[in-house]
Amino acid sequence: MAIYTKKGDKGTTSLYSSQPATSQRISKDSIRIRTIGSIDELDSFLGLAKSFCLDLKIQKIISDIQRDLLTIGSCLAGSKLRFSKTKTKKLEKMIDVWEGNLPRLSHFILPGGTPLSAQLHVSRSMARRAEREVTALSEVEKVPDSIKIYMNRLSDFLFMLARLTNSDQKIKEEIWVGKKK
């Protein structure tokens, strides 16, 4: 079977349908498809970040997030899957542990450090963009609260994971202090 179907050649795509023969086609530029695309971009970039990681525990954490993002994309595309609020609780627990073990922040930090940390910082900003898309979608269509909350927490999680990977490698964070001229 070929990867291409030619069904999207005119700028439309279809969502999940319980009856595929009657599935509705929507514009590839719709807010729903843009939202799913932002989540897909984040998922792909996390795959890139994971390729820089040698720590099996962190690789698993990133893989789990990728699975969560695929579930979210599937939910937003109309599947019958559900996204549990326990996923957010899991992120919060890890954030709390890491925050307790890392130096307290009193300034903004510059994204960077190790290649993995730098990739995680980019992923964090992509998560914020995906969250904005989810928010925009939720203003015109029903989006489960569990997805909105998870997407909000995910960027915080990725920020902390970036900090943790720098700390593990003994990389000092570079702070930013705004200066008045």
Side-chain angles (χ1 to χ4, degrees):
M1 182 166 145
I3 187 72
Y4 57 88
T5 64
K6 300 184 182 181
K7 293 178 181 178
D9 290 353
K10 294 185 179 174
T12 63
T13 190
S14 59
L15 301 173
Y16 280 102
S17 174
S18 58
Q19 300 170 343
T22 62
S23 68
Q24 173 190 0
R25 298 203 58 88
I26 64 171
S27 171
K28 290 182 179 183
D29 191 40
S30 71
I31 183 65
R32 179 182 293 265
I33 299 304
R34 284 195 317 266
T35 302
I36 294 167
S38 288
I39 291 167
D40 182 40
E41 289 172 5
L42 170 59
D43 190 5
S44 296
F45 208 85
L46 282 168
L48 177 62
K50 185 171 58 175
S51 75
F52 284 86
C53 183
L54 300 176
D55 183 321
L56 295 178
K57 181 179 173 189
I58 292 176
Q59 285 180 9
K60 179 172 180 345
I61 288 169
I62 294 171
S63 291
D64 289 347
I65 292 168
Q66 289 181 288
R67 285 182 183 85
D68 291 346
L69 292 171
L70 283 169
T71 301
I72 289 170
S74 180
C75 291
L76 296 177
S79 78
K80 300 292 184 208
L81 295 177
R82 298 289 173 246
F83 193 77
S84 173
K85 291 180 180 183
T86 60
K87 301 287 188 176
T88 302
K89 296 290 183 199
K90 183 178 174 183
L91 294 182
E92 290 172 344
K93 285 180 184 178
M94 284 188 276
I95 289 170
D96 292 343
V97 168
W98 296 338
E99 196 165 29
N101 294 328
L102 291 169
R104 188 171 181 276
L105 283 181
S106 57
H107 296 90
F108 286 105
I109 60 170
L110 299 179
T114 67
L116 173 58
S117 180
Q119 298 285 335
L120 290 168
H121 277 293
V122 173
S123 297
R124 171 196 49 80
S125 66
M126 294 174 87
R128 282 285 184 221
R129 182 181 56 195
E131 179 193 7
R132 289 190 299 272
E133 295 284 354
V134 166
T135 300
L137 178 62
S138 74
E139 291 174 359
V140 295
E141 298 183 27
K142 177 72 176 137
V143 173
D145 287 342
S146 59
I147 290 174
K148 292 187 291 188
I149 294 167
Y150 181 88
M151 292 305 297
N152 182 35
R153 207 68 77 247
L154 182 57
S155 58
D156 297 329
F157 178 85
L158 293 171
F159 176 75
M160 294 303 294
L161 185 55
R163 291 192 68 212
L164 176 71
T165 60
N166 274 337
S167 177
D168 287 349
Q169 296 299 311
K170 311 286 189 261
I171 302 294
K172 188 176 187 305
E173 294 170 322
E174 188 176 349
I175 64 168
W176 174 82
V177 179
K179 295 184 181 179
K180 295 180 183 180
K181 291 186 177 189

